[in-house]
Amino acid sequence: MLIFDSGVGGLSILKYIKKKLPNIHYVYVLDNEFFPYGNKKKLFIIERSINIINIVKKIYPIQIVLIACNTASTASLSILRKKFNFPIIGVLPDIHTAKKITKNNIIGLIATKATINSSYIKKIIQKKSFNKVIKIIATNKLALIAEKKIRGIKVEKIELQNIFQPWINLAVQPDTIILGCTHFLLLKKEIQNILHPSVYFIDSKKIIISKIKKIFYKTKIDQKIIKNIFFYSKNNKKLQELLFFLQEYNFNIKKKLI
Ligand code: DGL
């Protein structure tokens, strides 16, 4: 299985996959050369996603792809599915579940600017049948904070407060919050601390597991990759700092994507 993201966000999904489906082997691509995706144009993200899949495909037999990134999924999922003949799963903001769970009928959606501006999101929230209030924060800063946190750098409360100010100021805060970027899952505790303690977070982890399971059972996939491989697209100081924190992911091989 190929899993890719612009950075460490996808690792939050990978961690859960490892817990629920421990026998799965994976190739993880950390596209740090082009991080963040949140400020990129749709066409760029589509081309980059195609490129990543093509490069890995030449080296390893890909049987299933997981785009562990909402920004890349909202931009490119439908196109990638047309282009490649293996199953492709995308991580997408789960607005459907949020609608079912909210009690005060106020949903919060926080995601990158590219995700919020995507036609995928616009179509859902502009539908006439969308009978809930949705409060949106579009930010490219929060993913940067998550990147720092995973490299052991302290998260400053004030930085988070600035990002969440529009919700902190509300008379009634959303009771259900969609974490529409895989990076944000790494900051759940910190976010909870500055919002209401009973806020319910929606991420797409569980949906992803059931999708992977379905594909594996349906097609009876016999895994062709027997190692866990980590690719990065740029070797820099930040990457070197990150490598230390990757130990728990059991990567057998770490190398540059070329
Ligand atoms: N992890 C990505 C997502 O789920 C995006 C972070 C970024 O590169 O801007 O949207």
Side-chain angles (χ1 to χ4, degrees), residues 6-19:
S6 58
V8 299
L11 294 175
S12 64
I13 305 287
L14 175 58
K15 200 172 189 171
Y16 197 64
I17 295 173
K18 275 169 58 62
K19 191 171 146 199

Side-chain angles (χ1 to χ4, degrees), residues 15 33 37 49 54 62 76 79 81 99 119 132-133 144 153 162 176 195 207 209 211 232 248 252:
K15 200 172 189 171
E33 184 176 1
Y37 283 172
S49 304
N54 276 332
I62 296 181
S76 67
I79 291 165
R81 282 186 175 149
K99 273 175 77 178
S119 49
K132 308 279 175 203
V133 176
L144 287 159
I153 301 167
N162 286 338
T176 307
L195 296 174
I207 296 184
I209 295 294
K211 283 188 180 164
Y232 51 86
E248 62 177 298
N252 305 99

Side-chain angles (χ1 to χ4, degrees), residues 67 72-82 88-92:
I67 312 172
S73 299
T74 47
S76 67
L77 186 59
S78 54
I79 291 165
L80 297 183
R81 282 186 175 149
K82 279 183 204 136
I88 303 184
I89 302 171
V91 178
L92 294 160

Side-chain angles (χ1 to χ4, degrees), residues 5-6 9 35-38 68-71 112 115 143 180-183:
D5 183 26
S6 58
F35 175 84
Y37 283 172
C69 172
N70 295 259
T71 309
T112 65
T115 298
C181 168
T182 51
H183 277 74

Side-chain angles (χ1 to χ4, degrees), residues 137-185:
I137 295 179
T139 173
N140 291 337
K141 286 188 193 142
L142 202 52
L144 287 159
I145 297 174
E147 288 280 332
K148 282 199 221 156
K149 182 188 168 181
I150 212 163
R151 297 199 317 276
I153 301 167
K154 190 174 175 273
V155 177
E156 295 298 338
K157 202 171 173 186
I158 183 79
E159 281 189 271
L160 292 185
Q161 278 169 333
N162 286 338
I163 293 170
F164 284 91
Q165 205 56 51
W167 292 350
I168 294 171
N169 286 345
L170 289 171
V172 187
Q173 286 185 11
D175 65 351
T176 307
I177 289 176
I178 304 163
L179 299 173
C181 168
T182 51
H183 277 74
F184 304 168
L185 276 63

Side-chain angles (χ1 to χ4, degrees), residues 17-60:
I17 295 173
K18 275 169 58 62
K19 191 171 146 199
K20 296 285 170 188
L21 306 164
N23 297 325
I24 286 192
H25 292 290
Y26 39 87
V27 175
Y28 188 92
V29 174
L30 176 109
D31 194 17
N32 57 335
E33 184 176 1
F34 296 104
F35 175 84
Y37 283 172
N39 64 9
K40 305 286 183 296
K41 292 252 173 350
K42 179 176 177 170
L43 192 63
F44 177 88
I45 298 170
I46 294 171
E47 283 173 356
R48 186 62 193 156
S49 304
I50 293 174
N51 247 336
I52 290 173
I53 297 175
N54 276 332
I55 299 171
V56 177
K57 202 168 79 131
K58 277 193 203 138
I59 320 171
Y60 295 105

